[in-house]
């Protein structure tokens, strides 16, 4: 492993992004795993933080792997090469897309409530996950962000495979990845000594305890 946990990974990433401290920027974490990383970056750079709730579309019999991703608006990007190998029916694909959309809606409600998505116009946007596996969740997130006219998009991840880093690199203005791995197989978890799937309750707790998260204004 390279990192003890996601918190340490976020602290190390913040050191590479220190030139953006106190800038007109915002950190967007992809839940769930990207949130602890994003929280450390936002706090150390003194930037506001929010969530971008994109999600992979899971393979029915292998939920750890996705054949594409969906953004917060329900827009879908599919990995056509992988789909050609999987042999899924149109009905199976639509079922998985619907499941993904329902998860995004539920997460948006419990994590963000009725808070509007922040304006990204002319801002430096640092989009964060805990690693790049297939890359499609990050790709979906970047394209969602770009529709909102940011000044600059910076992809920031602790670890990723060389192939997927090369795949994502042209999509943003900058990519920071501390641990790039080669080889035929890659798992985000391999870079961490302590890695597990965060529960919804842990995500909510992290948001409540973050001084940088855009809190809902009380009426």
């Amino acid at each position: 492993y390279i990192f003890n946990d996601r918190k340490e990974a976020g602290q190390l990433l913040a050191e590479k992004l220190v030139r953006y401290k106190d800038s007109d920027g915002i950190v967007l974490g992809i839940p769930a795993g990207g949130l602890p990383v994003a929280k450390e970056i936002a706090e150390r750079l003194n930037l506001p933080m929010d969530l971008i709730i994109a999600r992979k579309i899971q393979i029915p019999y292998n939920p750890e792997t996705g054949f594409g991703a969906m953004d917060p608006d329900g827009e879908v990007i599919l990995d056509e090469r992988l789909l050609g190998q999987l042999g899924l029916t149109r009905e199976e694909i639509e079922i998985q897309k619907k499941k993904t959309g329902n998860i995004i809606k539920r997460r948006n409600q419990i994590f963000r409530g009725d808070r509007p998505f922040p304006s990204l116009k002319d801002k430096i946007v640092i989009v964060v996950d805990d690693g790049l596996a297939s890359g499609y969740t990050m790709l979906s997130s970047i394209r969602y962000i770009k529709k909102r006219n940011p000044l600059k998009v910076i992809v920031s991840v602790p670890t990723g495979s060389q192939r997927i880093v090369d795949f994502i690199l042209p999509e943003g203005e900058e990519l920071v990845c501390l641990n790039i791995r080669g080889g035929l197989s890659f798992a985000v978890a391999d870079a961490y000594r302590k890695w597990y799937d965060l529960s919804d309750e842990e995500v909510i707790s992290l948001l409540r305890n973050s001084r940088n998260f855009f809190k809902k204004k009380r009426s």
Side-chain angles (χ1 to χ4, degrees):
Y1 67 88
I2 303 297
F3 313 106
N4 185 53
D5 54 19
R6 293 177 174 103
K7 180 176 181 178
E8 181 188 60
Q11 293 169 352
L12 293 171
L13 277 170
E15 293 177 7
K16 300 296 184 181
L17 297 163
V18 69
R19 62 191 175 281
Y20 298 111
K21 185 174 182 179
D22 297 316
S23 66
D24 186 19
I26 184 170
V27 178
L28 296 180
I30 301 174
L35 181 58
V37 185
K39 179 176 180 289
E40 293 300 317
I41 294 172
E43 291 181 353
R44 287 175 177 256
L45 300 186
N46 195 30
L47 296 178
M49 181 188 76
D50 211 307
L51 307 182
I52 178 163
I53 305 177
R55 183 173 171 83
K56 68 185 174 186
I57 304 171
Q58 296 171 314
I59 297 173
Y61 49 84
N62 185 6
E64 294 302 314
T65 307
F67 59 83
M70 181 180 291
D71 75 12
D73 283 342
E75 293 291 324
V76 169
I77 302 175
L78 297 177
D79 183 343
E80 299 291 352
R81 181 190 62 82
L82 179 57
L83 271 177
Q85 299 172 357
L86 294 174
L88 298 176
T89 66
R90 184 180 297 274
E91 182 181 10
E92 287 174 323
I93 293 170
E94 290 304 315
I95 288 171
Q96 294 307 110
K97 286 164 63 175
K98 186 174 181 180
K99 286 181 179 178
T100 304
N102 289 338
I103 291 170
I104 289 174
K105 288 177 183 177
R106 182 182 63 81
R107 283 186 162 186
N108 192 62
Q109 184 58 45
I110 65 175
F111 296 160
R112 305 189 76 255
D114 57 1
R115 296 166 53 258
F117 194 75
S119 172
L120 304 181
K121 183 174 173 57
D122 297 327
K123 289 190 177 294
I124 297 168
V125 180
I126 302 173
V127 57
V128 181
D129 207 348
D130 59 359
L132 290 176
S134 75
Y136 275 84
T137 302
M138 181 59 76
L139 178 62
S140 181
S141 300
I142 295 169
R143 293 186 179 176
Y144 179 86
I145 291 165
K146 282 189 169 182
K147 291 176 186 177
R148 283 143 184 86
N149 302 311
L151 177 66
K152 184 177 185 179
V153 179
I154 302 164
V155 177
S156 182
V157 291
T159 186
S161 75
Q162 181 69 66
R163 182 176 67 85
I164 302 304
V165 167
D166 291 342
F167 171 58
I168 293 296
L169 187 59
E171 295 290 330
E173 283 70 41
E174 187 176 342
L175 188 150
V176 180
C177 181
L178 301 178
N179 172 238
I180 300 176
R181 300 190 174 207
L184 296 176
S185 63
F186 172 83
V188 170
D190 289 346
Y192 296 88
R193 189 168 73 86
K194 298 176 183 176
W195 191 95
Y196 63 94
D197 291 326
L198 273 73
S199 67
D200 290 346
E201 290 74 20
E202 287 174 296
V203 171
I204 292 167
S205 177
L206 279 168
L207 294 175
R208 285 176 177 167
N209 293 324
S210 172
R211 64 179 182 270
N212 297 67
F213 181 57
F214 280 130
K215 299 295 191 296
K216 179 181 174 183
K217 293 182 178 179
R218 296 184 180 181
S219 55

